[in-house]
Amino acid sequence: MKRSSTNPGTTMEMPTTPKQQQRYIGAGREERQKTISRGVAEMGDTPGTLKPRSLRFTWSMKTTSAMDPNDMMCEICKVLDNNNCGYDQREKFLLMCVFGDQNNDSLVQWEMEVCKLPRLSLNGVRFKRISGTSIGFKNIASKIANQLKL
């Protein structure tokens, strides 16, 4: 795997071989989905103890909802699977996502996080590009946001 420095002081492993990409992009979808659905409760001491972070970020009506954050995570995972995106759950409400092909320089990596919107009783989905072209990120992020049923 190749290491990519995206922010000062932090590094992230990027898949470089087709076998490594397969692990990110399609392997174990059913297992990942089961882990996400039951894992949101397992990551805290008791169900409901961990809550999404309260953040200020640019949001749109497509990415906000009064839906339970755990249900939002399940919906996000379902849409990512439908679009052949790989993802890894880093925290209870944070996913590291990948889409594309390293060989064609079309690999895009980004974070998706369910956050609480300050002063509103709504939750939102924050998208943050980690690597890849801005147009590639915009295309996949827009496609995912449009397909979310929040």
Side-chain angles (χ1 to χ4, degrees), residues 57-67 72 75-76 79 110-117 120 122-128 137 140-150:
F57 62 96
T58 306
W59 53 272
S60 74
M61 294 299 288
K62 293 177 193 172
T63 60
T64 59
S65 176
M67 185 187 289
M72 289 178 74
E75 175 66 19
I76 290 168
V79 171
W110 72 98
E111 288 180 348
M112 289 181 75
E113 182 176 12
V114 175
C115 303
K116 182 180 178 342
L117 298 174
L120 296 172
L122 294 174
N123 296 309
V125 179
R126 179 184 65 92
F127 289 79
K128 180 183 177 186
F137 170 71
I140 191 64
S142 297
K143 186 175 180 182
I144 290 168
N146 287 333
Q147 292 177 8
L148 286 172
K149 305 262 189 298
L150 300 177

mmCIF file of all heavy atoms in Angstrom, residues 57-67 72 75-76 79 110-117 120 122-128 137 140-150:
data_model
loop_
_atom_site.group_PDB
_atom_site.id
_atom_site.type_symbol
_atom_site.label_atom_id
_atom_site.label_comp_id
_atom_site.label_asym_id
_atom_site.label_seq_id
_atom_site.Cartn_x
_atom_site.Cartn_y
_atom_site.Cartn_z
ATOM 1 N N PHE A 57 -21.227 23.139 9.593
ATOM 2 C CA PHE A 57 -20.707 22.813 8.274
ATOM 3 C C PHE A 57 -21.756 23.183 7.240
ATOM 4 O O PHE A 57 -22.925 23.400 7.566
ATOM 5 C CB PHE A 57 -20.315 21.336 8.159
ATOM 6 C CG PHE A 57 -21.445 20.362 8.343
ATOM 7 C CD1 PHE A 57 -22.114 19.833 7.255
ATOM 8 C CD2 PHE A 57 -21.837 19.967 9.610
ATOM 9 C CE1 PHE A 57 -23.151 18.934 7.429
ATOM 10 C CE2 PHE A 57 -22.866 19.063 9.789
ATOM 11 C CZ PHE A 57 -23.526 18.552 8.697
ATOM 12 N N THR A 58 -21.357 23.300 5.994
ATOM 13 C CA THR A 58 -22.283 23.609 4.918
ATOM 14 C C THR A 58 -23.170 22.404 4.677
ATOM 15 O O THR A 58 -22.680 21.305 4.468
ATOM 16 C CB THR A 58 -21.510 23.952 3.624
ATOM 17 O OG1 THR A 58 -20.590 24.993 3.918
ATOM 18 C CG2 THR A 58 -22.452 24.381 2.533
ATOM 19 N N TRP A 59 -24.479 22.606 4.702
ATOM 20 C CA TRP A 59 -25.411 21.501 4.539
ATOM 21 C C TRP A 59 -26.494 21.887 3.560
ATOM 22 O O TRP A 59 -26.707 23.061 3.267
ATOM 23 C CB TRP A 59 -25.999 21.086 5.889
ATOM 24 C CG TRP A 59 -26.606 22.196 6.684
ATOM 25 C CD1 TRP A 59 -25.979 23.023 7.564
ATOM 26 C CD2 TRP A 59 -27.970 22.624 6.641
ATOM 27 N NE1 TRP A 59 -26.853 23.925 8.081
ATOM 28 C CE2 TRP A 59 -28.090 23.704 7.534
ATOM 29 C CE3 TRP A 59 -29.097 22.205 5.939
ATOM 30 C CZ2 TRP A 59 -29.287 24.370 7.736
ATOM 31 C CZ3 TRP A 59 -30.286 22.866 6.151
ATOM 32 C CH2 TRP A 59 -30.377 23.927 7.036
ATOM 33 N N SER A 60 -27.167 20.887 3.052
ATOM 34 C CA SER A 60 -28.290 21.123 2.142
ATOM 35 C C SER A 60 -29.479 20.315 2.624
ATOM 36 O O SER A 60 -29.350 19.441 3.480
ATOM 37 C CB SER A 60 -27.917 20.718 0.714
ATOM 38 O OG SER A 60 -27.894 19.317 0.601
ATOM 39 N N MET A 61 -30.621 20.571 2.065
ATOM 40 C CA MET A 61 -31.834 19.854 2.456
ATOM 41 C C MET A 61 -31.721 18.360 2.145
ATOM 42 O O MET A 61 -32.336 17.548 2.804
ATOM 43 C CB MET A 61 -33.061 20.450 1.753
ATOM 44 C CG MET A 61 -33.368 21.862 2.181
ATOM 45 S SD MET A 61 -33.726 21.999 3.938
ATOM 46 C CE MET A 61 -35.314 21.228 4.006
ATOM 47 N N LYS A 62 -30.926 17.993 1.132
ATOM 48 C CA LYS A 62 -30.765 16.582 0.758
ATOM 49 C C LYS A 62 -30.034 15.786 1.826
ATOM 50 O O LYS A 62 -30.185 14.580 1.906
ATOM 51 C CB LYS A 62 -29.979 16.458 -0.541
ATOM 52 C CG LYS A 62 -30.684 16.975 -1.752
ATOM 53 C CD LYS A 62 -29.774 16.860 -2.951
ATOM 54 C CE LYS A 62 -30.314 17.649 -4.109
ATOM 55 N NZ LYS A 62 -29.388 17.723 -5.210
ATOM 56 N N THR A 63 -29.213 16.457 2.611
ATOM 57 C CA THR A 63 -28.366 15.740 3.566
ATOM 58 C C THR A 63 -28.737 16.011 5.019
ATOM 59 O O THR A 63 -27.918 15.816 5.903
ATOM 60 C CB THR A 63 -26.888 16.093 3.333
ATOM 61 O OG1 THR A 63 -26.711 17.501 3.498
ATOM 62 C CG2 THR A 63 -26.422 15.661 1.958
ATOM 63 N N THR A 64 -29.952 16.480 5.278
ATOM 64 C CA THR A 64 -30.393 16.689 6.649
ATOM 65 C C THR A 64 -31.663 15.897 6.908
ATOM 66 O O THR A 64 -32.441 15.635 5.992
ATOM 67 C CB THR A 64 -30.675 18.177 6.937
ATOM 68 O OG1 THR A 64 -31.673 18.638 6.048
ATOM 69 C CG2 THR A 64 -29.427 19.008 6.819
ATOM 70 N N SER A 65 -31.859 15.534 8.181
ATOM 71 C CA SER A 65 -33.022 14.728 8.528
ATOM 72 C C SER A 65 -33.234 14.739 10.032
ATOM 73 O O SER A 65 -32.289 14.928 10.795
ATOM 74 C CB SER A 65 -32.811 13.290 8.062
ATOM 75 O OG SER A 65 -33.862 12.466 8.466
ATOM 76 N N ALA A 66 -34.470 14.492 10.439
ATOM 77 C CA ALA A 66 -34.779 14.300 11.852
ATOM 78 C C ALA A 66 -34.685 12.815 12.207
ATOM 79 O O ALA A 66 -34.948 12.418 13.333
ATOM 80 C CB ALA A 66 -36.183 14.820 12.152
ATOM 81 N N MET A 67 -34.267 11.995 11.245
ATOM 82 C CA MET A 67 -34.122 10.548 11.431
ATOM 83 C C MET A 67 -33.076 10.255 12.509
ATOM 84 O O MET A 67 -32.146 11.041 12.713
ATOM 85 C CB MET A 67 -33.686 9.932 10.091
ATOM 86 C CG MET A 67 -33.595 8.429 10.053
ATOM 87 S SD MET A 67 -32.891 7.820 8.496
ATOM 88 C CE MET A 67 -34.205 8.146 7.350
ATOM 89 N N MET A 72 -29.689 6.640 10.001
ATOM 90 C CA MET A 72 -29.015 7.379 8.925
ATOM 91 C C MET A 72 -27.755 6.639 8.482
ATOM 92 O O MET A 72 -27.467 6.559 7.288
ATOM 93 C CB MET A 72 -28.669 8.801 9.381
ATOM 94 C CG MET A 72 -29.878 9.700 9.526
ATOM 95 S SD MET A 72 -29.459 11.351 10.130
ATOM 96 C CE MET A 72 -28.698 12.076 8.678
ATOM 97 N N GLU A 75 -28.734 3.764 6.250
ATOM 98 C CA GLU A 75 -29.138 4.255 4.928
ATOM 99 C C GLU A 75 -27.910 4.644 4.102
ATOM 100 O O GLU A 75 -27.820 4.344 2.913
ATOM 101 C CB GLU A 75 -30.089 5.446 5.077
ATOM 102 C CG GLU A 75 -30.473 6.103 3.773
ATOM 103 C CD GLU A 75 -31.301 5.228 2.844
ATOM 104 O OE1 GLU A 75 -31.897 4.229 3.302
ATOM 105 O OE2 GLU A 75 -31.344 5.540 1.635
ATOM 106 N N ILE A 76 -26.941 5.308 4.730
ATOM 107 C CA ILE A 76 -25.710 5.700 4.025
ATOM 108 C C ILE A 76 -24.983 4.459 3.524
ATOM 109 O O ILE A 76 -24.553 4.408 2.365
ATOM 110 C CB ILE A 76 -24.803 6.541 4.953
ATOM 111 C CG1 ILE A 76 -25.422 7.908 5.201
ATOM 112 C CG2 ILE A 76 -23.403 6.684 4.366
ATOM 113 C CD1 ILE A 76 -24.758 8.700 6.319
ATOM 114 N N VAL A 79 -26.713 2.957 0.467
ATOM 115 C CA VAL A 79 -26.466 3.732 -0.760
ATOM 116 C C VAL A 79 -25.027 3.535 -1.239
ATOM 117 O O VAL A 79 -24.785 3.403 -2.449
ATOM 118 C CB VAL A 79 -26.787 5.225 -0.529
ATOM 119 C CG1 VAL A 79 -26.336 6.077 -1.702
ATOM 120 C CG2 VAL A 79 -28.286 5.403 -0.293
ATOM 121 N N TRP A 110 -13.031 9.835 0.642
ATOM 122 C CA TRP A 110 -13.687 10.889 1.392
ATOM 123 C C TRP A 110 -14.248 10.334 2.692
ATOM 124 O O TRP A 110 -14.345 9.135 2.872
ATOM 125 C CB TRP A 110 -14.785 11.548 0.553
ATOM 126 C CG TRP A 110 -16.010 10.697 0.339
ATOM 127 C CD1 TRP A 110 -17.180 10.748 1.045
ATOM 128 C CD2 TRP A 110 -16.204 9.687 -0.654
ATOM 129 N NE1 TRP A 110 -18.073 9.825 0.559
ATOM 130 C CE2 TRP A 110 -17.502 9.159 -0.485
ATOM 131 C CE3 TRP A 110 -15.397 9.156 -1.663
ATOM 132 C CZ2 TRP A 110 -18.005 8.143 -1.288
ATOM 133 C CZ3 TRP A 110 -15.903 8.140 -2.460
ATOM 134 C CH2 TRP A 110 -17.192 7.656 -2.272
ATOM 135 N N GLU A 111 -14.597 11.245 3.588
ATOM 136 C CA GLU A 111 -15.249 10.889 4.839
ATOM 137 C C GLU A 111 -16.715 11.276 4.760
ATOM 138 O O GLU A 111 -17.060 12.300 4.162
ATOM 139 C CB GLU A 111 -14.647 11.660 6.018
ATOM 140 C CG GLU A 111 -13.284 11.236 6.435
ATOM 141 C CD GLU A 111 -12.768 12.064 7.607
ATOM 142 O OE1 GLU A 111 -13.362 13.100 7.944
ATOM 143 O OE2 GLU A 111 -11.747 11.653 8.165
ATOM 144 N N MET A 112 -17.548 10.453 5.371
ATOM 145 C CA MET A 112 -18.955 10.801 5.560
ATOM 146 C C MET A 112 -19.223 10.671 7.054
ATOM 147 O O MET A 112 -18.898 9.652 7.651
ATOM 148 C CB MET A 112 -19.874 9.868 4.777
ATOM 149 C CG MET A 112 -19.815 10.077 3.288
ATOM 150 S SD MET A 112 -20.926 8.995 2.393
ATOM 151 C CE MET A 112 -22.495 9.766 2.732
ATOM 152 N N GLU A 113 -19.795 11.715 7.633
ATOM 153 C CA GLU A 113 -20.053 11.714 9.064
ATOM 154 C C GLU A 113 -21.457 12.221 9.335
ATOM 155 O O GLU A 113 -21.895 13.224 8.766
ATOM 156 C CB GLU A 113 -19.041 12.611 9.781
ATOM 157 C CG GLU A 113 -19.211 12.627 11.279
ATOM 158 C CD GLU A 113 -18.154 13.447 12.004
ATOM 159 O OE1 GLU A 113 -17.414 14.198 11.353
ATOM 160 O OE2 GLU A 113 -18.072 13.317 13.234
ATOM 161 N N VAL A 114 -22.174 11.522 10.202
ATOM 162 C CA VAL A 114 -23.476 11.990 10.659
ATOM 163 C C VAL A 114 -23.211 12.917 11.838
ATOM 164 O O VAL A 114 -22.552 12.536 12.809
ATOM 165 C CB VAL A 114 -24.389 10.817 11.074
ATOM 166 C CG1 VAL A 114 -25.695 11.331 11.654
ATOM 167 C CG2 VAL A 114 -24.652 9.902 9.893
ATOM 168 N N CYS A 115 -23.686 14.162 11.729
ATOM 169 C CA CYS A 115 -23.457 15.185 12.752
ATOM 170 C C CYS A 115 -24.786 15.808 13.161
ATOM 171 O O CYS A 115 -25.740 15.822 12.396
ATOM 172 C CB CYS A 115 -22.570 16.305 12.213
ATOM 173 S SG CYS A 115 -20.992 15.778 11.584
ATOM 174 N N LYS A 116 -24.803 16.353 14.357
ATOM 175 C CA LYS A 116 -25.967 17.100 14.821
ATOM 176 C C LYS A 116 -25.774 18.547 14.399
ATOM 177 O O LYS A 116 -24.703 19.112 14.565
ATOM 178 C CB LYS A 116 -26.084 16.997 16.342
ATOM 179 C CG LYS A 116 -27.307 17.703 16.874
ATOM 180 C CD LYS A 116 -27.405 17.577 18.374
ATOM 181 C CE LYS A 116 -28.595 18.300 18.963
ATOM 182 N NZ LYS A 116 -29.232 19.297 18.179
ATOM 183 N N LEU A 117 -26.827 19.150 13.864
ATOM 184 C CA LEU A 117 -26.750 20.557 13.472
ATOM 185 C C LEU A 117 -27.046 21.431 14.686
ATOM 186 O O LEU A 117 -28.069 21.236 15.356
ATOM 187 C CB LEU A 117 -27.733 20.855 12.344
ATOM 188 C CG LEU A 117 -27.474 20.083 11.052
ATOM 189 C CD1 LEU A 117 -28.585 20.321 10.050
ATOM 190 C CD2 LEU A 117 -26.144 20.463 10.463
ATOM 191 N N LEU A 120 -30.598 23.248 15.924
ATOM 192 C CA LEU A 120 -31.697 22.621 15.181
ATOM 193 C C LEU A 120 -31.862 21.209 15.716
ATOM 194 O O LEU A 120 -30.919 20.592 16.165
ATOM 195 C CB LEU A 120 -31.386 22.566 13.685
ATOM 196 C CG LEU A 120 -31.234 23.896 12.957
ATOM 197 C CD1 LEU A 120 -30.743 23.653 11.544
ATOM 198 C CD2 LEU A 120 -32.540 24.644 12.943
ATOM 199 N N LEU A 122 -32.065 18.617 14.094
ATOM 200 C CA LEU A 122 -31.816 17.836 12.883
ATOM 201 C C LEU A 122 -30.417 17.247 12.922
ATOM 202 O O LEU A 122 -29.517 17.773 13.580
ATOM 203 C CB LEU A 122 -31.928 18.711 11.638
ATOM 204 C CG LEU A 122 -33.290 19.293 11.299
ATOM 205 C CD1 LEU A 122 -33.160 20.236 10.115
ATOM 206 C CD2 LEU A 122 -34.283 18.204 10.992
ATOM 207 N N ASN A 123 -30.249 16.165 12.172
ATOM 208 C CA ASN A 123 -28.926 15.586 11.932
ATOM 209 C C ASN A 123 -28.577 15.802 10.472
ATOM 210 O O ASN A 123 -29.461 15.832 9.612
ATOM 211 C CB ASN A 123 -28.927 14.087 12.252
ATOM 212 C CG ASN A 123 -29.193 13.827 13.715
ATOM 213 O OD1 ASN A 123 -28.545 14.398 14.579
ATOM 214 N ND2 ASN A 123 -30.162 12.975 13.999
ATOM 215 N N GLY A 124 -27.306 15.944 10.184
ATOM 216 C CA GLY A 124 -26.857 16.139 8.817
ATOM 217 C C GLY A 124 -25.719 15.204 8.476
ATOM 218 O O GLY A 124 -25.081 14.639 9.369
ATOM 219 N N VAL A 125 -25.468 15.057 7.177
ATOM 220 C CA VAL A 125 -24.360 14.235 6.707
ATOM 221 C C VAL A 125 -23.288 15.180 6.161
ATOM 222 O O VAL A 125 -23.557 15.982 5.269
ATOM 223 C CB VAL A 125 -24.813 13.238 5.613
ATOM 224 C CG1 VAL A 125 -23.629 12.406 5.133
ATOM 225 C CG2 VAL A 125 -25.926 12.356 6.120
ATOM 226 N N ARG A 126 -22.087 15.069 6.731
ATOM 227 C CA ARG A 126 -20.953 15.891 6.295
ATOM 228 C C ARG A 126 -20.089 15.065 5.356
ATOM 229 O O ARG A 126 -19.712 13.941 5.664
ATOM 230 C CB ARG A 126 -20.126 16.322 7.513
ATOM 231 C CG ARG A 126 -18.906 17.169 7.160
ATOM 232 C CD ARG A 126 -18.081 17.468 8.403
ATOM 233 N NE ARG A 126 -17.495 16.268 8.975
ATOM 234 C CZ ARG A 126 -16.280 15.803 8.667
ATOM 235 N NH1 ARG A 126 -15.526 16.421 7.775
ATOM 236 N NH2 ARG A 126 -15.820 14.714 9.240
ATOM 237 N N PHE A 127 -19.783 15.615 4.184
ATOM 238 C CA PHE A 127 -18.873 14.998 3.218
ATOM 239 C C PHE A 127 -17.560 15.778 3.268
ATOM 240 O O PHE A 127 -17.572 17.005 3.234
ATOM 241 C CB PHE A 127 -19.424 15.120 1.786
ATOM 242 C CG PHE A 127 -20.621 14.266 1.497
ATOM 243 C CD1 PHE A 127 -21.890 14.638 1.917
ATOM 244 C CD2 PHE A 127 -20.485 13.104 0.755
ATOM 245 C CE1 PHE A 127 -22.990 13.861 1.629
ATOM 246 C CE2 PHE A 127 -21.590 12.320 0.460
ATOM 247 C CZ PHE A 127 -22.840 12.703 0.901
ATOM 248 N N LYS A 128 -16.422 15.061 3.328
ATOM 249 C CA LYS A 128 -15.113 15.721 3.306
ATOM 250 C C LYS A 128 -14.180 14.940 2.397
ATOM 251 O O LYS A 128 -13.903 13.768 2.638
ATOM 252 C CB LYS A 128 -14.528 15.780 4.718
ATOM 253 C CG LYS A 128 -13.167 16.452 4.752
ATOM 254 C CD LYS A 128 -12.590 16.441 6.143
ATOM 255 C CE LYS A 128 -11.203 17.050 6.141
ATOM 256 N NZ LYS A 128 -10.551 16.921 7.444
ATOM 257 N N PHE A 137 -14.764 13.838 -6.873
ATOM 258 C CA PHE A 137 -15.441 13.865 -5.584
ATOM 259 C C PHE A 137 -16.835 14.463 -5.716
ATOM 260 O O PHE A 137 -17.811 13.928 -5.179
ATOM 261 C CB PHE A 137 -14.620 14.664 -4.567
ATOM 262 C CG PHE A 137 -15.353 14.938 -3.291
ATOM 263 C CD1 PHE A 137 -15.617 13.919 -2.395
ATOM 264 C CD2 PHE A 137 -15.796 16.218 -2.996
ATOM 265 C CE1 PHE A 137 -16.304 14.172 -1.207
ATOM 266 C CE2 PHE A 137 -16.484 16.473 -1.824
ATOM 267 C CZ PHE A 137 -16.732 15.450 -0.927
ATOM 268 N N ILE A 140 -19.348 11.853 -7.354
ATOM 269 C CA ILE A 140 -19.805 10.735 -6.514
ATOM 270 C C ILE A 140 -20.562 11.246 -5.289
ATOM 271 O O ILE A 140 -21.573 10.654 -4.889
ATOM 272 C CB ILE A 140 -18.640 9.786 -6.121
ATOM 273 C CG1 ILE A 140 -19.193 8.506 -5.482
ATOM 274 C CG2 ILE A 140 -17.632 10.462 -5.226
ATOM 275 C CD1 ILE A 140 -20.024 7.641 -6.373
ATOM 276 N N ALA A 141 -20.139 12.358 -4.706
ATOM 277 C CA ALA A 141 -20.842 12.901 -3.536
ATOM 278 C C ALA A 141 -22.248 13.354 -3.914
ATOM 279 O O ALA A 141 -23.211 13.108 -3.168
ATOM 280 C CB ALA A 141 -20.047 14.058 -2.934
ATOM 281 N N SER A 142 -22.403 13.986 -5.069
ATOM 282 C CA SER A 142 -23.736 14.422 -5.526
ATOM 283 C C SER A 142 -24.631 13.223 -5.793
ATOM 284 O O SER A 142 -25.810 13.224 -5.421
ATOM 285 C CB SER A 142 -23.619 15.255 -6.801
ATOM 286 O OG SER A 142 -22.899 16.423 -6.558
ATOM 287 N N LYS A 143 -24.070 12.200 -6.418
ATOM 288 C CA LYS A 143 -24.846 10.997 -6.721
ATOM 289 C C LYS A 143 -25.336 10.344 -5.431
ATOM 290 O O LYS A 143 -26.507 9.960 -5.317
ATOM 291 C CB LYS A 143 -23.983 10.018 -7.531
ATOM 292 C CG LYS A 143 -24.705 8.805 -8.025
ATOM 293 C CD LYS A 143 -23.799 7.972 -8.907
ATOM 294 C CE LYS A 143 -24.516 6.740 -9.421
ATOM 295 N NZ LYS A 143 -23.659 5.901 -10.234
ATOM 296 N N ILE A 144 -24.460 10.229 -4.446
ATOM 297 C CA ILE A 144 -24.831 9.619 -3.169
ATOM 298 C C ILE A 144 -25.861 10.470 -2.432
ATOM 299 O O ILE A 144 -26.862 9.957 -1.934
ATOM 300 C CB ILE A 144 -23.574 9.373 -2.304
ATOM 301 C CG1 ILE A 144 -22.753 8.243 -2.937
ATOM 302 C CG2 ILE A 144 -23.939 9.046 -0.873
ATOM 303 C CD1 ILE A 144 -21.386 8.089 -2.368
ATOM 304 N N ALA A 145 -25.634 11.774 -2.385
ATOM 305 C CA ALA A 145 -26.573 12.671 -1.684
ATOM 306 C C ALA A 145 -27.963 12.599 -2.309
ATOM 307 O O ALA A 145 -28.969 12.616 -1.589
ATOM 308 C CB ALA A 145 -26.042 14.101 -1.705
ATOM 309 N N ASN A 146 -28.033 12.517 -3.628
ATOM 310 C CA ASN A 146 -29.335 12.451 -4.306
ATOM 311 C C ASN A 146 -30.054 11.141 -4.024
ATOM 312 O O ASN A 146 -31.278 11.091 -4.045
ATOM 313 C CB ASN A 146 -29.158 12.642 -5.810
ATOM 314 C CG ASN A 146 -28.840 14.067 -6.169
ATOM 315 O OD1 ASN A 146 -29.204 14.984 -5.464
ATOM 316 N ND2 ASN A 146 -28.113 14.245 -7.258
ATOM 317 N N GLN A 147 -29.321 10.063 -3.782
ATOM 318 C CA GLN A 147 -29.937 8.759 -3.560
ATOM 319 C C GLN A 147 -30.298 8.494 -2.105
ATOM 320 O O GLN A 147 -31.042 7.557 -1.814
ATOM 321 C CB GLN A 147 -29.013 7.652 -4.064
ATOM 322 C CG GLN A 147 -28.863 7.639 -5.555
ATOM 323 C CD GLN A 147 -27.892 6.576 -6.032
ATOM 324 O OE1 GLN A 147 -27.433 5.734 -5.256
ATOM 325 N NE2 GLN A 147 -27.575 6.605 -7.317
ATOM 326 N N LEU A 148 -29.782 9.311 -1.184
ATOM 327 C CA LEU A 148 -30.094 9.110 0.238
ATOM 328 C C LEU A 148 -31.570 9.409 0.490
ATOM 329 O O LEU A 148 -32.099 10.433 0.077
ATOM 330 C CB LEU A 148 -29.235 10.012 1.115
ATOM 331 C CG LEU A 148 -27.773 9.628 1.274
ATOM 332 C CD1 LEU A 148 -27.012 10.733 2.013
ATOM 333 C CD2 LEU A 148 -27.624 8.316 2.002
ATOM 334 N N LYS A 149 -32.220 8.510 1.198
ATOM 335 C CA LYS A 149 -33.630 8.694 1.587
ATOM 336 C C LYS A 149 -33.656 9.027 3.073
ATOM 337 O O LYS A 149 -33.902 8.179 3.915
ATOM 338 C CB LYS A 149 -34.419 7.398 1.334
ATOM 339 C CG LYS A 149 -34.329 6.883 -0.072
ATOM 340 C CD LYS A 149 -35.521 7.281 -0.879
ATOM 341 C CE LYS A 149 -35.609 6.619 -2.228
ATOM 342 N NZ LYS A 149 -34.552 6.886 -3.142
ATOM 343 N N LEU A 150 -33.376 10.297 3.354
ATOM 344 C CA LEU A 150 -33.292 10.726 4.761
ATOM 345 C C LEU A 150 -34.548 11.436 5.205
ATOM 346 O O LEU A 150 -35.280 12.021 4.579
ATOM 347 C CB LEU A 150 -32.080 11.634 4.968
ATOM 348 C CG LEU A 150 -30.726 11.007 4.632
ATOM 349 C CD1 LEU A 150 -29.611 12.029 4.810
ATOM 350 C CD2 LEU A 150 -30.467 9.815 5.523
#
